[in-house]
Amino acid sequence: MRTIVHRHLGKVVAGTAIAVAGTAVMIGITLPGSAGADDSDGKGAGQTSQQAGQGQDQAQGAVQPGVVEEAPAEGDKGKGRDPLTDDETERVEKLALDRQLFRTSENVEGDKGPQRITVDLAEPDESELDDPNAPRRAEVSFYDYKDDSLVTKTVNLDTGKVEGTDTQHGVQPPLSRAETVEAAQLLIVDRLGAGLKADFKDSTGKELTSPDQLLLNSMVYRANAGTPAALADCGKHRCLRLFVKAKNGPWIDSRDLVVDLSARKIAKVG
């Protein structure tokens, strides 16, 4: 693992430099009216070239700095195809998570209740496409680690009723932040995480003890023809690869490790 890290580090550093250069260009943009302001006497220092040529010395009024208006306060309910508000998101999640689902399911840490994956505005029914007063609906997706199922509930935001429930197995939606962090925690304490911890120590001089020390991305992993037997259930199980970067440090290549969140185990591939 450690040799792979150094091989790819040059590309990562180059990519970082490009990103920093782009940021510098963005920072160089000034707000209208702020350039050339003279704060020594509260008056604007800039005059037109015509005034300067004529020798006019009449003081100009101070130029007011640009003002960035705050976004309007978000209401508790959107309209039409507006994105879900925070209030709507919180409300539909509570409506979708009924007592039965909560009692019979488990989240990524093994605690009672399913793992929330997404809350999205649902597409309108075909018959409602041209109806400006069509009801707003939300789709709430949960992953149940107890039986490896994806549970999606459709909630009518106008009535507060759950209008549909869909349960699927073998379906792997994008991973949530909580799942990615839990996978990193499992890797850190596993014997196969020794290389990751050694690379982290080499690059930062510190011991790796928590996912909070890392910037994390992840990708769902599915078993294929060359998959080791230990990961044969990936696809049915919730499995992932981690892409790890030390905070204020380099990327650390851990792509040869797969975390099976359902079985809470780690195996090597490739």
Side-chain angles (χ1 to χ4, degrees):
M1 177 187 298
R2 299 172 64 181
T3 57
I4 297 177
V5 173
H6 297 299
R7 190 183 313 146
H8 294 287
L9 187 56
K11 294 182 179 179
V12 174
V13 171
T16 304
I18 293 172
V20 170
T23 303
V25 172
M26 294 176 66
I27 292 174
I29 299 173
T30 58
L31 291 172
S34 60
D38 181 358
D39 57 5
S40 61
D41 59 359
K43 301 181 182 295
Q47 292 179 312
T48 66
S49 58
Q50 181 181 3
Q51 290 171 331
Q54 294 173 345
Q56 295 181 3
D57 59 358
Q58 181 179 358
Q60 303 298 308
V63 178
Q64 296 299 319
V67 176
V68 179
E69 295 184 1
E70 293 185 3
E74 185 179 63
D76 60 353
K77 183 178 179 181
K79 296 180 180 179
R81 301 301 297 162
D82 290 344
L84 294 171
T85 67
D86 290 341
D87 286 345
E88 286 177 320
T89 299
E90 183 178 355
R91 178 170 172 254
V92 297
E93 184 179 355
K94 290 179 180 178
L95 291 169
L97 186 56
D98 56 51
R99 292 182 180 179
Q100 180 180 358
L101 178 58
F102 180 80
R103 290 197 306 265
T104 60
S105 60
E106 291 181 1
N107 65 16
V108 67
E109 297 179 357
D111 296 331
K112 187 174 292 187
Q115 184 66 48
R116 192 193 84 167
I117 304 298
T118 58
V119 180
D120 296 311
L121 188 68
E123 293 295 327
D125 293 340
E126 187 173 347
S127 61
E128 300 170 343
L129 290 175
D130 297 324
D131 183 359
N133 298 315
R136 281 164 62 82
R137 298 181 181 90
E139 288 185 347
V140 187
S141 296
F142 301 98
Y143 196 87
D144 182 0
Y145 277 87
K146 192 168 186 177
D147 66 354
D148 281 296
S149 63
L150 177 66
V151 180
T152 303
K153 298 204 173 191
T154 303
V155 180
N156 187 312
L157 288 160
D158 294 335
T159 64
K161 294 182 178 180
V162 176
E163 295 184 340
T165 300
D166 181 50
T167 302
Q168 302 177 75
H169 292 85
V171 177
Q172 298 296 330
L175 295 142
S176 67
R177 170 67 181 169
E179 291 172 304
T180 301
V181 170
E182 182 65 14
Q185 181 61 51
L186 292 174
L187 181 56
I188 290 171
V189 300
D190 191 273
R191 63 179 182 81
L192 290 178
L196 170 66
K197 290 188 285 188
D199 287 340
F200 185 88
K201 180 68 177 292
D202 287 346
S203 62
T204 67
K206 300 177 182 179
E207 299 291 339
L208 177 60
T209 59
S210 168
D212 292 340
Q213 297 169 270
L214 304 170
L215 298 177
L216 299 167
N217 282 301
S218 60
M219 180 181 294
V220 169
Y221 177 86
R222 291 178 176 273
N224 54 47
T227 297
L231 298 172
D233 288 331
C234 287
K236 174 185 175 182
H237 283 186
R238 191 82 158 139
C239 301
L240 62 88
R241 274 176 164 159
L242 285 170
F243 302 89
V244 179
K245 184 182 185 301
K247 286 187 176 179
N248 301 316
W251 288 92
I252 302 174
D253 197 338
S254 59
R255 290 173 296 174
D256 60 340
L257 300 175
V258 173
V259 181
D260 183 336
L261 286 170
S262 300
R264 300 184 70 81
K265 65 182 181 183
I266 298 166
K268 276 193 172 185
V269 293

